PDB file of all heavy atoms in Angstrom:
ATOM      1  N   VAL A1068      30.291  21.389  64.469  1.00 96.00           N
ATOM      2  CA  VAL A1068      28.917  21.806  64.740  1.00 96.00           C
ATOM      3  C   VAL A1068      28.470  22.882  63.754  1.00 96.00           C
ATOM      4  O   VAL A1068      27.334  22.859  63.281  1.00 96.00           O
ATOM      5  CB  VAL A1068      28.794  22.311  66.199  1.00 96.00           C
ATOM      6  CG1 VAL A1068      27.443  22.982  66.429  1.00 96.00           C
ATOM      7  CG2 VAL A1068      28.979  21.158  67.173  1.00 96.00           C
ATOM      8  N   THR A1069      29.360  23.805  63.418  1.00 94.00           N
ATOM      9  CA  THR A1069      28.999  24.867  62.468  1.00 94.00           C
ATOM     10  C   THR A1069      28.673  24.286  61.093  1.00 94.00           C
ATOM     11  O   THR A1069      27.734  24.740  60.434  1.00 94.00           O
ATOM     12  CB  THR A1069      30.152  25.881  62.324  1.00 94.00           C
ATOM     13  OG1 THR A1069      31.384  25.179  62.135  1.00 94.00           O
ATOM     14  CG2 THR A1069      30.269  26.760  63.548  1.00 94.00           C
ATOM     15  N   THR A1070      29.430  23.297  60.668  1.00 94.00           N
ATOM     16  CA  THR A1070      29.177  22.661  59.371  1.00 94.00           C
ATOM     17  C   THR A1070      27.833  21.956  59.368  1.00 94.00           C
ATOM     18  O   THR A1070      27.051  22.060  58.413  1.00 94.00           O
ATOM     19  CB  THR A1070      30.295  21.664  59.030  1.00 94.00           C
ATOM     20  OG1 THR A1070      31.547  22.330  59.040  1.00 94.00           O
ATOM     21  CG2 THR A1070      30.061  21.043  57.663  1.00 94.00           C
ATOM     22  N   GLY A1071      27.564  21.224  60.457  1.00 96.00           N
ATOM     23  CA  GLY A1071      26.282  20.527  60.557  1.00 96.00           C
ATOM     24  C   GLY A1071      25.109  21.486  60.545  1.00 96.00           C
ATOM     25  O   GLY A1071      24.082  21.225  59.908  1.00 96.00           O
ATOM     26  N   ALA A1072      25.241  22.627  61.239  1.00 96.00           N
ATOM     27  CA  ALA A1072      24.172  23.622  61.269  1.00 96.00           C
ATOM     28  C   ALA A1072      23.959  24.222  59.887  1.00 96.00           C
ATOM     29  O   ALA A1072      22.814  24.460  59.464  1.00 96.00           O
ATOM     30  CB  ALA A1072      24.505  24.712  62.286  1.00 96.00           C
ATOM     31  N   ALA A1073      25.058  24.466  59.165  1.00 94.00           N
ATOM     32  CA  ALA A1073      24.951  25.008  57.809  1.00 94.00           C
ATOM     33  C   ALA A1073      24.259  24.028  56.870  1.00 94.00           C
ATOM     34  O   ALA A1073      23.428  24.418  56.039  1.00 94.00           O
ATOM     35  CB  ALA A1073      26.342  25.370  57.284  1.00 94.00           C
ATOM     36  N   LEU A1074      24.569  22.745  56.997  1.00 95.00           N
ATOM     37  CA  LEU A1074      23.915  21.724  56.178  1.00 95.00           C
ATOM     38  C   LEU A1074      22.436  21.632  56.521  1.00 95.00           C
ATOM     39  O   LEU A1074      21.582  21.504  55.642  1.00 95.00           O
ATOM     40  CB  LEU A1074      24.592  20.367  56.389  1.00 95.00           C
ATOM     41  CG  LEU A1074      26.008  20.214  55.829  1.00 95.00           C
ATOM     42  CD1 LEU A1074      26.615  18.887  56.261  1.00 95.00           C
ATOM     43  CD2 LEU A1074      26.009  20.310  54.305  1.00 95.00           C
ATOM     44  N   PHE A1075      22.126  21.694  57.810  1.00 97.00           N
ATOM     45  CA  PHE A1075      20.738  21.660  58.267  1.00 97.00           C
ATOM     46  C   PHE A1075      19.952  22.815  57.658  1.00 97.00           C
ATOM     47  O   PHE A1075      18.796  22.648  57.240  1.00 97.00           O
ATOM     48  CB  PHE A1075      20.705  21.728  59.799  1.00 97.00           C
ATOM     49  CG  PHE A1075      19.314  21.720  60.383  1.00 97.00           C
ATOM     50  CD1 PHE A1075      18.659  20.518  60.634  1.00 97.00           C
ATOM     51  CD2 PHE A1075      18.656  22.909  60.682  1.00 97.00           C
ATOM     52  CE1 PHE A1075      17.376  20.512  61.177  1.00 97.00           C
ATOM     53  CE2 PHE A1075      17.380  22.909  61.217  1.00 97.00           C
ATOM     54  CZ  PHE A1075      16.734  21.704  61.467  1.00 97.00           C
ATOM     55  N   ASN A1076      20.564  23.990  57.596  1.00 95.00           N
ATOM     56  CA  ASN A1076      19.904  25.162  57.013  1.00 95.00           C
ATOM     57  C   ASN A1076      19.664  25.015  55.515  1.00 95.00           C
ATOM     58  O   ASN A1076      18.859  25.739  54.937  1.00 95.00           O
ATOM     59  CB  ASN A1076      20.727  26.424  57.279  1.00 95.00           C
ATOM     60  CG  ASN A1076      20.580  26.926  58.711  1.00 95.00           C
ATOM     61  OD1 ASN A1076      19.584  26.632  59.375  1.00 95.00           O
ATOM     62  ND2 ASN A1076      21.558  27.686  59.179  1.00 95.00           N
ATOM     63  N   LYS A1077      20.372  24.074  54.907  1.00 95.00           N
ATOM     64  CA  LYS A1077      20.190  23.805  53.475  1.00 95.00           C
ATOM     65  C   LYS A1077      19.257  22.614  53.251  1.00 95.00           C
ATOM     66  O   LYS A1077      19.237  22.015  52.182  1.00 95.00           O
ATOM     67  CB  LYS A1077      21.546  23.538  52.817  1.00 95.00           C
ATOM     68  CG  LYS A1077      22.459  24.761  52.803  1.00 95.00           C
ATOM     69  CD  LYS A1077      23.806  24.431  52.183  1.00 95.00           C
ATOM     70  CE  LYS A1077      24.719  25.647  52.182  1.00 95.00           C
ATOM     71  NZ  LYS A1077      26.069  25.342  51.635  1.00 95.00           N
ATOM     72  N   ASP A1078      18.490  22.277  54.281  1.00 95.00           N
ATOM     73  CA  ASP A1078      17.505  21.185  54.224  1.00 95.00           C
ATOM     74  C   ASP A1078      18.125  19.804  54.097  1.00 95.00           C
ATOM     75  O   ASP A1078      17.475  18.869  53.614  1.00 95.00           O
ATOM     76  CB  ASP A1078      16.498  21.422  53.088  1.00 95.00           C
ATOM     77  CG  ASP A1078      15.609  22.626  53.357  1.00 95.00           C
ATOM     78  OD1 ASP A1078      15.271  22.867  54.536  1.00 95.00           O
ATOM     79  OD2 ASP A1078      15.262  23.326  52.391  1.00 95.00           O
ATOM     80  N   ILE A1079      19.378  19.671  54.514  1.00 95.00           N
ATOM     81  CA  ILE A1079      19.981  18.344  54.609  1.00 95.00           C
ATOM     82  C   ILE A1079      19.438  17.709  55.879  1.00 95.00           C
ATOM     83  O   ILE A1079      19.524  18.278  56.969  1.00 95.00           O
ATOM     84  CB  ILE A1079      21.516  18.416  54.652  1.00 95.00           C
ATOM     85  CG1 ILE A1079      22.048  19.123  53.393  1.00 95.00           C
ATOM     86  CG2 ILE A1079      22.108  17.032  54.781  1.00 95.00           C
ATOM     87  CD1 ILE A1079      21.743  18.433  52.101  1.00 95.00           C
ATOM     88  N   GLN A1080      18.875  16.513  55.757  1.00 95.00           N
ATOM     89  CA  GLN A1080      18.093  15.910  56.833  1.00 95.00           C
ATOM     90  C   GLN A1080      18.957  15.235  57.908  1.00 95.00           C
ATOM     91  O   GLN A1080      19.132  14.016  57.930  1.00 95.00           O
ATOM     92  CB  GLN A1080      17.089  14.918  56.241  1.00 95.00           C
ATOM     93  CG  GLN A1080      16.077  15.549  55.285  1.00 95.00           C
ATOM     94  CD  GLN A1080      15.223  16.607  55.985  1.00 95.00           C
ATOM     95  OE1 GLN A1080      14.479  16.289  56.902  1.00 95.00           O
ATOM     96  NE2 GLN A1080      15.320  17.846  55.547  1.00 95.00           N
ATOM     97  N   ILE A1081      19.478  16.075  58.810  1.00 97.00           N
ATOM     98  CA  ILE A1081      20.272  15.562  59.926  1.00 97.00           C
ATOM     99  C   ILE A1081      19.840  16.253  61.221  1.00 97.00           C
ATOM    100  O   ILE A1081      19.229  17.331  61.193  1.00 97.00           O
ATOM    101  CB  ILE A1081      21.784  15.799  59.713  1.00 97.00           C
ATOM    102  CG1 ILE A1081      22.072  17.290  59.427  1.00 97.00           C
ATOM    103  CG2 ILE A1081      22.328  14.899  58.631  1.00 97.00           C
ATOM    104  CD1 ILE A1081      23.540  17.625  59.345  1.00 97.00           C
ATOM    105  N   GLU A1082      20.169  15.621  62.336  1.00 98.00           N
ATOM    106  CA  GLU A1082      19.925  16.200  63.652  1.00 98.00           C
ATOM    107  C   GLU A1082      21.194  16.054  64.490  1.00 98.00           C
ATOM    108  O   GLU A1082      21.943  15.085  64.333  1.00 98.00           O
ATOM    109  CB  GLU A1082      18.765  15.491  64.359  1.00 98.00           C
ATOM    110  CG  GLU A1082      17.420  15.676  63.679  1.00 98.00           C
ATOM    111  CD  GLU A1082      16.302  14.935  64.417  1.00 98.00           C
ATOM    112  OE1 GLU A1082      16.575  14.350  65.485  1.00 98.00           O
ATOM    113  OE2 GLU A1082      15.163  14.937  63.909  1.00 98.00           O
ATOM    114  N   LEU A1083      21.407  17.012  65.378  1.00 98.00           N
ATOM    115  CA  LEU A1083      22.572  16.967  66.255  1.00 98.00           C
ATOM    116  C   LEU A1083      22.249  16.130  67.493  1.00 98.00           C
ATOM    117  O   LEU A1083      21.369  16.483  68.275  1.00 98.00           O
ATOM    118  CB  LEU A1083      22.975  18.387  66.665  1.00 98.00           C
ATOM    119  CG  LEU A1083      24.158  18.519  67.627  1.00 98.00           C
ATOM    120  CD1 LEU A1083      25.422  17.907  67.026  1.00 98.00           C
ATOM    121  CD2 LEU A1083      24.400  19.985  67.982  1.00 98.00           C
ATOM    122  N   ALA A1084      22.972  15.022  67.654  1.00 98.00           N
ATOM    123  CA  ALA A1084      22.712  14.119  68.780  1.00 98.00           C
ATOM    124  C   ALA A1084      23.565  14.451  69.995  1.00 98.00           C
ATOM    125  O   ALA A1084      23.109  14.334  71.132  1.00 98.00           O
ATOM    126  CB  ALA A1084      22.968  12.674  68.359  1.00 98.00           C
ATOM    127  N   ALA A1085      24.817  14.861  69.757  1.00 98.00           N
ATOM    128  CA  ALA A1085      25.709  15.125  70.887  1.00 98.00           C
ATOM    129  C   ALA A1085      26.897  15.973  70.438  1.00 98.00           C
ATOM    130  O   ALA A1085      27.194  16.076  69.246  1.00 98.00           O
ATOM    131  CB  ALA A1085      26.211  13.818  71.491  1.00 98.00           C
ATOM    132  N   VAL A1086      27.551  16.570  71.415  1.00 98.00           N
ATOM    133  CA  VAL A1086      28.817  17.264  71.191  1.00 98.00           C
ATOM    134  C   VAL A1086      29.882  16.492  71.939  1.00 98.00           C
ATOM    135  O   VAL A1086      29.670  16.060  73.076  1.00 98.00           O
ATOM    136  CB  VAL A1086      28.758  18.725  71.682  1.00 98.00           C
ATOM    137  CG1 VAL A1086      30.129  19.394  71.540  1.00 98.00           C
ATOM    138  CG2 VAL A1086      27.707  19.513  70.897  1.00 98.00           C
ATOM    139  N   THR A1087      31.043  16.288  71.300  1.00 98.00           N
ATOM    140  CA  THR A1087      32.089  15.469  71.926  1.00 98.00           C
ATOM    141  C   THR A1087      33.392  16.221  72.193  1.00 98.00           C
ATOM    142  O   THR A1087      34.151  15.846  73.075  1.00 98.00           O
ATOM    143  CB  THR A1087      32.409  14.246  71.050  1.00 98.00           C
ATOM    144  OG1 THR A1087      32.771  14.686  69.742  1.00 98.00           O
ATOM    145  CG2 THR A1087      31.208  13.322  70.959  1.00 98.00           C
TER     146      THR A1087
END
Side-chain angles (χ1 to χ4, degrees):
V1068 170
T1069 47
T1070 303
L1074 290 173
F1075 179 86
N1076 283 337
K1077 294 178 181 177
D1078 293 325
I1079 301 298
Q1080 299 299 297
I1081 54 174
E1082 295 179 4
L1083 178 60
V1086 175
T1087 56

